Amino acid sequence: MYNKIGDDMSSKLLKAYEGKLIFLYGDPNKSIEEILEILFQSSSDNWSKDYVKLVHALKEVKHWYQRMEKLNFLTLSTFLKFYQLFQKDMYEKNDKHVLEHLKLNPNKKLKDMSEAEKERIYFVLLYQLNLNIYVFAEPFLHQSDSEAHRMLQLIYERIKKHQIVFLTSNYQIGRMEQMVTDVLIVSDKKIKFDSVSKICHYNYSLVHLKGKNYKKLKLSIKNIILKEQTDDEIVFLYCGKFHELFQVLQTVELEDVSIRKQTLEEVLRAKNI
């Protein structure tokens, strides 16, 4: 089965995602729903059913999260009981251990919750739904490292059950890259699934080398993604420790060398994705 872009988006590809924590990277100007629409354009029945269920869940969770402001006089426990009534076919009722794990007091009123606590409530609303695919947008924006770690522990429980978890972020890409192992790049032009290590993990630079000796260097430098190359010039993305690259560069005399450190987002954009 193929989507409109021509990529194989059948249930076979769905299998490739199972058990992975994936960073879903799309156009920052597009909503999650728009990115998912591109991703799930498929004639596969299994894939389509998951897409419809996921989009419906995201819409419902947003709706209930917005209602929290009007129902802020309720305790968290009472609010979740209302939520469960409307999501009884999907909501997993054993949420007590989840609330305890995330340090959310069920007897505390919504109006007394901090921004970080409300963010974790939003996480619970989606996490407790019975889905094959989960998408958490900016889940750790107001969380400390310890709070984010507790949320990740729960996410890993989903992954162990072969469910798929996507994380998205426009504001904490650096933090995300330390958590995920794979990146799914979604744009109007292409859909590509790759490991973070191939896209550049932790340290990355855009390197421009000019000189007849650069070809000797190319063989010595590991973890490069080639962008452009001529007889006496090469431009590539380097993923690795900067000092290791510098040591290699010192071994050969070159006419011109320029190196610029990149963020993950810059690297992805530099690959014309």
Side-chain angles (χ1 to χ4, degrees), residues 119-251:
E119 194 172 74
R120 296 202 295 279
I121 292 171
Y122 184 87
F123 175 86
V124 171
L125 294 181
L126 185 55
Y127 180 82
Q128 285 300 104
L129 294 179
N130 183 21
L131 300 169
N132 290 323
I133 304 167
Y134 294 83
V135 178
F136 297 106
E138 302 289 357
F140 315 116
L141 197 58
H142 300 95
Q143 307 302 317
S144 67
D145 287 344
S146 60
E147 289 164 347
H149 179 68
R150 284 194 289 272
M151 294 167 76
L152 274 174
Q153 286 178 318
L154 291 174
I155 287 173
Y156 290 140
E157 290 301 312
R158 290 283 181 242
I159 292 172
K160 286 178 185 176
K161 296 178 182 178
H162 304 292
Q163 291 158 314
I164 300 164
V165 180
F166 290 126
L167 300 179
T168 72
S169 176
N170 290 329
Y171 307 105
Q172 290 195 310
I173 294 178
R175 195 178 194 183
M176 290 290 181
E177 65 169 323
Q178 297 179 49
M179 300 174 178
V180 302
T181 55
D182 299 270
V183 176
L184 183 62
I185 304 160
V186 178
S187 72
D188 293 327
K189 295 180 180 179
K190 66 176 76 173
I191 294 171
K192 185 179 180 184
F193 186 55
D194 220 336
S195 67
V196 170
S197 60
K198 286 186 180 179
I199 294 175
C200 296
H201 198 34
Y202 299 127
N203 302 281
Y204 21 83
S205 312
L206 181 65
V207 183
H208 171 275
L209 302 179
K210 190 172 184 180
K212 294 180 180 179
N213 295 326
Y214 90 78
K215 291 184 179 179
K216 295 179 182 178
L217 276 179
K218 184 181 172 185
L219 298 173
S220 305
I221 301 173
K222 297 178 180 179
N223 302 322
I224 72 171
I225 300 171
L226 185 63
K227 284 193 84 250
E228 300 169 13
Q229 181 176 326
T230 64
D231 288 340
D232 64 347
E233 190 174 28
I234 184 172
V235 179
F236 60 87
L237 293 170
Y238 170 74
C239 11
K241 296 178 181 178
F242 179 79
H243 73 270
E244 292 177 354
L245 172 64
F246 187 70
Q247 286 174 354
V248 176
L249 291 176
Q250 287 180 314
T251 63

